[in-house]
Amino acid sequence: MTAIVTQQQLAAHSEMIESWLGLAGMGKLPVPPKLDKPLQSFRNQWAKTNPTVTPFLGLWHDDGGAFGNSYFLSIFPSQVQGQACVLEFRLEQKVAAEVVDEQILSLSTAKVINGQLLSSRLRADKSTIVQTDFDNGYPVDYDYTAEFLPVLWQNEIVIFASYSPPQLPPEFPQDLTSQVKQELSNRGCTMD
């Protein structure tokens, strides 16, 4: 994303989010998670010490696309002002013995400058974060707010929904947990 998000980009992001919500409402894609209180509390806590990174914090996931292979971003806060750590994770997906999506496991340090999260692998802009109501077709009691973050990754936009406070993603390899925690610590980031 460039320094200025254009109206055309915002319209494209909005269309992608509406598509996810529509397909989830018909049961063709996983429903986006509810924007939950633990994530909001976590962000409120970090807003006091590192406010520029706060809107990006959390475990985020994409809709899995046609193959249902979830792609996760976990954005951890840093003790360094304007800095965060970004863990990307996606399992390898095979269909009929053919690799459709390769496995991704990457940890990078990101800076937040002028409302933009900038790492060596991806870009995101605070102004594109969208909170919207999701009507899953059940009685009103089951409607909830979902939150979405468009991310520029390898010259394509990927839409992520907030999932929880930052943590290691589901199905994360257990044998890499201590190594990732140590690397987060080395970079000045925390899981707490």
Side-chain angles (χ1 to χ4, degrees), residues 103-116:
Q103 181 172 337
I104 296 173
L105 177 55
S106 171
L107 181 62
S108 60
T109 303
K111 299 269 187 202
V112 177
I113 301 169
N114 297 325
Q116 292 193 3

Side-chain angles (χ1 to χ4, degrees), residues 7 15 20 30-31 43 73 99 129 143 145 149 155 171:
Q7 291 295 6
E15 186 177 303
W20 182 349
V31 296
R43 288 179 181 163
L73 290 181
V99 175
I129 296 172
D143 295 348
T145 300
L149 173 67
N155 293 321
E171 300 182 39

Side-chain angles (χ1 to χ4, degrees), residues 45-154:
Q45 176 187 354
W46 277 95
K48 298 170 190 167
T49 56
N50 198 345
T52 59
V53 303
T54 302
F56 301 103
L57 297 178
L59 178 62
W60 300 81
H61 83 99
D62 81 332
D63 65 1
F67 300 106
N69 191 19
S70 290
Y71 174 20
F72 289 92
L73 290 181
S74 199
I75 303 175
F76 298 95
S78 173
Q79 301 297 334
V80 178
Q81 285 298 310
Q83 187 169 298
C85 291
V86 179
L87 176 70
E88 297 174 67
F89 177 69
R90 179 173 67 194
L91 288 173
E92 180 178 88
Q93 178 73 25
K94 292 183 179 180
V95 175
E98 181 180 330
V99 175
V100 177
D101 285 324
E102 64 186 53
Q103 181 172 337
I104 296 173
L105 177 55
S106 171
L107 181 62
S108 60
T109 303
K111 299 269 187 202
V112 177
I113 301 169
N114 297 325
Q116 292 193 3
L117 180 78
L118 308 167
S119 84
S120 60
R121 294 185 44 88
L122 54 88
R123 307 278 185 265
D125 191 302
K126 176 183 167 185
S127 70
T128 63
I129 296 172
V130 174
Q131 291 182 2
T132 188
D133 290 331
F134 175 64
D135 178 1
N136 58 13
Y138 292 107
V140 176
D141 297 356
Y142 293 100
D143 295 348
Y144 60 86
T145 300
E147 180 181 49
F148 298 93
L149 173 67
V151 173
L152 179 63
W153 180 75
Q154 295 186 349

Side-chain angles (χ1 to χ4, degrees), residues 32-45:
K34 178 180 181 178
L35 177 61
D36 66 359
K37 293 204 184 303
L39 175 57
Q40 293 171 324
S41 296
F42 184 87
R43 288 179 181 163
N44 288 339
Q45 176 187 354

